[in-house]
Amino acid sequence: QVQLVESGGGLVQAGDSLRLSCAASGVTFTRYALAWFRQAPGKEREFVAVVSQRHGSRFVADSVKGRFTISKDNAKNTVTLQMDNLKPEDTAVYYCAASGTVISSQMRSQSAYAYWGQGTQVTVSS
């Protein structure tokens, strides 16, 4: 049984940093693509970042490029999202997702991910 548990959210001021973690169980880390999505109030869930299963390639959304970094620790079965220079528009619930079957062209699509965490709230005040 796959379980994803996020942690690290909170309330910060603009310009601050946060580090989100997602602890995974029931997955072989090297065989799963691991991603972060977020959903702001009244908006659709959107892609934030992903690390691929095969080569560990990392991609981030244009809106967070240069500020957010995704990484994974295969030994600890953890994927993290380092968020720097946070902006009020980054306020959202952040979700960790995993997929063992996603292909490169689908990695930014939430429909490609079968497993999701419960989410963690990130609030950035101006």
Side-chain angles (χ1 to χ4, degrees), residues 28-92:
T28 302
F29 241 44
T30 54
R31 297 180 182 177
Y32 278 74
L34 301 152
W36 287 94
F37 288 77
R38 66 186 182 185
Q39 188 167 19
K43 295 187 177 181
E44 294 187 355
R45 193 173 298 186
E46 65 175 1
F47 167 78
V48 176
V50 63
V51 54
S52 71
Q53 66 271 46
R54 182 172 293 183
H55 301 297
S57 301
R58 295 179 286 182
F59 305 94
V60 297
D62 289 342
S63 59
V64 304
K65 194 167 292 184
R67 300 189 297 121
F68 290 13
T69 304
I70 187 170
S71 61
K72 68 172 182 175
D73 186 329
N74 290 333
K76 296 182 179 179
N77 268 23
T78 301
V79 58
T80 61
L81 185 68
Q82 177 66 40
M83 306 186 294
D84 298 319
N85 190 23
L86 282 160
K87 302 177 180 180
E89 52 263 43
D90 296 318
T91 295

